[in-house]
Amino acid sequence: ATEIDSESVASAQAMLRRNDLAPKVTIVHMDDALKIFPATLDYAAPYDFVVCNPPFFTNDAERFRGRDRPTALTTNENSTPGGEEAFVARMIAESVDIRDGIRWYVHREASR
């Protein structure tokens, strides 16, 4: 798993420990919010799949447009430069660099 928010990394690691899954899942804290796949992972032994729930919005203004109440998600969780389309385009571009390092990609698409 990759995550740009250090508090979310700590929370996910704690949840994995509580559920005895820590040895099976690696969480990488990403310093670069625009990078999706970490260069530090060994892609020689391919990962079976990547499941992605991308940030859907370009910024908070777009995120809250037409909503009468705020969401519990933080800006990091729901917004990224260029929005969902740019995020998925970056994911595709990076996947070319690692080629066979990941067998299958799945991403959730917004229904707005």
Side-chain angles (χ1 to χ4, degrees), residues 4 15 22 32-33 35 39-40 42 48-49 55 76 83 90 104 111:
I4 60 172
M15 185 176 9
D32 183 351
K35 190 88 171 118
T40 57
D42 178 11
D48 291 326
F49 64 93
N76 283 343
R90 286 193 308 272
W104 190 39
S111 59

Side-chain angles (χ1 to χ4, degrees), residues 98-112:
I98 56 177
R99 291 251 181 254
D100 298 324
I102 299 172
R103 294 185 177 134
W104 190 39
Y105 298 83
V106 177
H107 93 338
R108 181 175 176 248
E109 202 169 298
S111 59
R112 294 184 260 144

Side-chain angles (χ1 to χ4, degrees), residues 1-3 26-30 35-43 47 94 98 102:
T2 62
E3 177 58 61
T26 300
I27 300 174
V28 178
H29 181 247
M30 302 291 286
K35 190 88 171 118
I36 298 167
F37 300 112
T40 57
L41 290 184
D42 178 11
Y43 295 102
Y47 290 85
E94 287 185 35
I98 56 177
I102 299 172

Side-chain angles (χ1 to χ4, degrees), residues 39-61:
T40 57
L41 290 184
D42 178 11
Y43 295 102
Y47 290 85
D48 291 326
F49 64 93
V50 168
V51 178
C52 180
N53 185 10
F56 300 119
F57 303 103
T58 302
N59 54 44
D60 279 341

Side-chain angles (χ1 to χ4, degrees), residues 7-29:
E7 287 183 38
S8 295
V9 169
S11 176
Q13 289 171 332
M15 185 176 9
L16 291 170
R17 283 190 302 275
R18 281 193 305 273
N19 290 287
D20 296 321
L21 294 171
K24 297 179 180 188
V25 178
T26 300
I27 300 174
V28 178
H29 181 247

Side-chain angles (χ1 to χ4, degrees), residues 79-100:
S79 301
T80 190
E84 176 183 24
E85 188 174 314
F87 182 93
V88 173
R90 286 193 308 272
M91 186 170 78
I92 291 168
E94 287 185 35
S95 72
V96 171
D97 293 336
I98 56 177
R99 291 251 181 254
D100 298 324

